Amino acid sequence: MDNTQNILIVGAGLCGSLLALRLGQRGYNVSVYEMRPDLRKVDISAGRSINLAFSDRGIKAMKLVDIQDKVEPLCIPMNGRMIHDKEGKTKLSNYSGRDHEYINSISRGGLNALLLDEAEVLDNVSLFFNKKCESIDFEKTTASFYDYKEKTEFIEDADVIIGTDGAGSALRKSYYLGKKFLFSFSQDYLSHGYKELSILPTEGGGYKTYKNALHIWPRGDFMLIALPNLDGSFTVTLFLSHDEGDYNFNNLTTPEIVTTFFTEEFPDALELMPNLIEDFFDNPTSALGTVKCSPWHYKGNTLLMGDAAHAIVPFYGQGMNASFEDVVEFDKVLDQHEGDWETVFRFYEKTRKKDTDAIADLAIDNFHEMKDHVANPIFQKKRKLEMTLEKEFPDDYSSKYSLVTFNEDIGYNEAMTRGRAQDKAILNMIADGKINLNEDLKNILKKVIQETEDIIDEDNVAKTMHH
Ligand SMILES: Cc1cc2nc3c(=O)[nH]c(=O)nc-3n(C[C@H](O)[C@H](O)[C@H](O)COP(=O)(O)OP(=O)(O)OC[C@H]3O[C@@H](n4cnc5c(N)ncnc54)[C@H](O)[C@@H]3O)c2cc1C
């Protein structure tokens, strides 16, 4: 196999640095061009979300490149959601009834730096920073760059160019503007934006609130969440409408209004955040959206991966995990078709896109679930039943959340189909009084499985008729 080909990767974020490492391990000559300075040398934490929920699909990718033992020390386990009501009362709701299933809070910068370190060790991988890709000629397989340091422009040639340059991808823009083939593209902004805030550590460097949970303050139309960092702090994110409701990003314009808003809605959080006003006015308000497009590749020349191909809203904590899983799936296709890039790209998109479309839709569902449903009694009943089923029948039952988050060998699309049918089955049966939460658990499990199968069958019949 001729692996001495030159692969140019645009963007050294989470996906690009992992991809560089994997393709380097496979023996390719890899050059990575990143527009920002090297995050290992310059503090550029002003980027996006400081920490992220990292789970089994991401871990599987770390195993592929054999660095899981180096990633583990960066992880803070979060066993469940700690739900805070308006009175400041809290309730911990585990993510799974199986103790070994939990998600992790991880530093974006820390993880990205590790991946860059690991990639850079390889002789056949080179990293270049401060070089912004301006456009890509996907017919000639060349990329134009602007060097921020030298203030010069230059063009690079490669056998293959892969764009892992995030939600605002320059490669995707070149496909779109090039008008050389039928390129479908959609971008949907959410009504809500986000702003990052923080809960600082105690004077002794400890955590001001419970460490091993993802904290949520669900308020129906908006919410606050907090994830722990290794230094004792929490990164807090406010998700709020840009312009609707009594309080929104457009009208939270003075320290007084912001303080009133937090006093009314998040009093217990406010107590932990004496730095609120500073954070609020120092940090940007950013937009959230979903990007879908197709095709991801042009012949065997160029390919989009990670957020560049499929940016999603963050409410399932899966954007990075999905982008890492891209590399795992790509690697599998390479095992089968290495040597023929066009076939590799075509197969990769064919097998992968249904799954990234599914997680995009699931993430929107979870936006509503997190800000609203987690505080709803029927939803809580369902969650409690699911926890019990998972605990009692660990081999026979997995909730939608578990299928998506902890079952890395099932694709997102399958997790969505099964998970949605299960949700519908349980909610209907609770509402219709068809299951009594005091009855024999085995019986409940049987009914849930049967009803789920019926719903899946019905959906399949409907789909066939549709076609
Ligand atoms: C608020 C928020 C919270 C999130 N929380 C989670 C979470 O909890 N769990 C999770 O799994 N995911 C989460 N995500 C999603 C996650 O951040 C992304 O899915 C992930 O970063 C995608 O990785 P990527 O490498 O494809 O893109 P990015 O991480 O965006 O990296 C792209 C890289 O390309 C560089 N670049 C961009 N344009 C150019 C150019 N023209 N030339 C050269 N370089 C360029 C950028 O500087 C960057 O380094 C969250 C996202 C947001 C916004």
Side-chain angles (χ1 to χ4, degrees):
M1 198 71 55
D2 174 22
N3 280 7
T4 55
Q5 284 187 313
N6 297 314
I7 300 187
L8 192 159
I9 296 176
V10 181
L14 294 168
C15 186
S17 51
L18 174 67
L19 181 68
L21 171 57
R22 185 59 195 155
L23 293 179
Q25 289 175 339
R26 290 188 78 110
Y28 291 99
N29 285 329
V30 182
S31 311
V32 189
Y33 290 83
E34 163 61 43
M35 109 184 147
R36 291 186 296 185
D38 188 343
L39 57 80
R40 296 167 298 176
K41 296 178 184 146
V42 185
D43 181 19
I44 43 167
S45 57
R48 283 173 318 145
S49 66
I50 291 164
N51 57 22
L52 305 144
F54 173 65
S55 51
D56 296 35
R57 294 176 197 273
I59 292 169
K60 182 175 180 182
M62 300 303 111
K63 288 182 182 157
L64 174 70
V65 293
D66 201 20
I67 58 167
Q68 70 273 31
D69 55 327
K70 294 182 183 161
V71 175
E72 215 181 290
L74 304 177
C75 291
I76 302 176
M78 299 185 289
N79 294 297
R81 295 166 167 159
M82 175 80 85
I83 298 164
H84 297 245
D85 73 12
K86 268 195 171 186
E87 280 72 54
K89 285 204 292 286
T90 59
K91 193 180 205 167
L92 184 65
S93 160
N94 276 357
Y95 280 118
S96 165
R98 287 171 286 264
D99 291 341
H100 63 276
E101 291 181 341
Y102 52 83
I103 61 175
N104 302 280
S105 178
I106 198 163
S107 145
R108 179 189 294 273
L111 183 55
N112 207 338
L114 171 65
L115 291 168
L116 291 173
D117 283 345
E118 294 294 318
E120 201 168 44
V121 168
L122 303 176
D123 290 339
N124 49 333
V125 176
S126 314
L127 309 176
F128 304 95
F129 295 93
N130 301 299
K131 294 176 181 40
K132 181 183 184 189
C133 178
E134 304 276 12
S135 66
I136 286 167
D137 186 329
F138 44 84
E139 290 181 310
K140 292 194 187 130
T141 326
T142 57
S144 318
F145 291 93
Y146 179 73
D147 187 322
Y148 283 123
K149 279 243 162 96
E150 307 294 327
K151 309 226 180 313
T152 50
E153 289 182 3
F154 62 97
I155 291 178
E156 283 295 320
D157 199 343
D159 295 306
V160 162
I161 300 178
I162 303 182
T164 51
D165 47 348
S169 170
L171 174 57
R172 204 182 63 229
K173 206 191 264 168
S174 294
Y175 283 171
Y176 182 72
L177 295 177
K179 299 199 170 77
K180 296 276 172 68
F181 58 98
L182 299 178
F183 182 62
S184 302
F185 167 60
S186 71
Q187 173 166 301
D188 290 284
Y189 283 111
L190 213 61
S191 52
H192 287 49
Y194 74 98
K195 187 186 279 291
E196 290 201 321
L197 307 163
S198 58
I199 295 174
L200 298 175
T202 62
E203 264 171 40
Y207 292 87
K208 279 191 191 161
T209 181
Y210 183 63
K211 174 185 174 185
N212 294 109
L214 191 155
H215 294 262
I216 311 186
W217 290 257
R219 295 296 179 262
D221 288 331
F222 48 86
M223 69 170 164
L224 195 67
I225 69 166
L227 277 74
N229 295 311
L230 289 171
D231 66 359
S233 67
F234 288 82
T235 301
V236 179
T237 310
L238 172 63
F239 295 97
L240 179 69
S241 172
H242 291 289
D243 51 18
E244 284 174 10
D246 291 342
Y247 293 102
N248 55 55
F249 278 122
N250 282 355
N251 70 21
L252 289 176
T253 49
T254 65
E256 292 73 31
I257 306 176
V258 172
T259 307
T260 309
F261 175 53
F262 272 73
T263 310
E264 283 175 16
E265 298 293 342
F266 315 115
D268 61 328
L270 179 62
E271 247 172 65
L272 308 176
M273 302 166 72
N275 47 314
L276 169 68
I277 296 300
E278 242 176 278
D279 281 350
F280 197 95
F281 291 100
D282 281 353
N283 296 345
T285 302
S286 308
L288 294 166
T290 305
V291 170
K292 288 181 181 172
C293 67
S294 165
W296 287 344
H297 67 104
Y298 180 76
K299 299 191 176 160
N301 297 358
T302 57
L303 173 71
L304 294 165
M305 284 177 84
D307 273 19
H310 47 74
I312 64 179
V313 296
F315 305 103
Y316 230 111
Q318 287 292 325
M320 160 185 64
N321 290 291
S323 299
F324 284 165
E325 192 176 63
D326 279 1
V327 177
V328 174
E329 294 303 310
F330 187 67
D331 192 67
K332 268 193 215 160
V333 180
L334 271 180
D335 284 343
Q336 293 164 350
H337 299 287
E338 197 156 36
D340 175 358
W341 288 113
E342 182 158 5
T343 305
V344 168
F345 293 175
R346 205 158 31 80
F347 265 77
Y348 167 69
E349 178 169 353
K350 198 170 158 47
T351 51
R352 185 67 181 143
K353 187 162 163 52
K354 63 176 184 335
D355 288 323
T356 58
D357 282 348
I359 192 58
D361 296 348
L362 284 164
I364 296 277
D365 289 356
N366 231 36
F367 169 52
H368 302 292
E369 178 164 327
M370 283 177 80
K371 70 184 171 48
D372 201 1
H373 305 173
V374 290
N376 165 323
I378 286 225
F379 177 86
Q380 287 178 355
K381 237 186 218 173
K382 168 178 154 286
R383 255 337 261 171
K384 199 166 158 218
L385 172 62
E386 291 195 287
M387 288 303 107
T388 316
L389 291 176
E390 288 188 338
K391 203 176 214 98
E392 294 298 320
F393 311 105
D395 298 328
D396 301 313
Y397 190 79
S398 286
S399 70
K400 182 175 79 183
Y401 189 87
S402 290
L403 291 169
V404 171
T405 310
F406 306 122
N407 284 268
E408 69 277 18
D409 295 326
I410 297 176
Y412 286 122
N413 187 49
E414 192 185 333
M416 177 175 75
T417 307
R418 169 151 293 277
R420 280 184 174 169
Q422 254 172 209
D423 280 357
K424 201 162 151 188
I426 298 182
L427 287 172
N428 284 349
M429 288 197 297
I430 292 180
D432 299 348
K434 282 194 191 151
I435 41 180
N436 170 353
L437 297 182
N438 302 321
E439 74 185 80
D440 178 44
L441 265 180
K442 246 201 170 114
N443 229 3
I444 297 186
L445 177 67
K446 233 172 91 188
K447 285 189 201 170
V448 170
I449 290 176
Q450 186 56 53
E451 182 77 11
T452 302
E453 290 307 328
D454 290 350
I455 290 174
I456 292 176
D457 286 346
E458 262 169 43
D459 287 352
N460 281 340
V461 170
K463 257 188 223 152
T464 330
M465 283 169 61
H466 202 83
H467 292 151

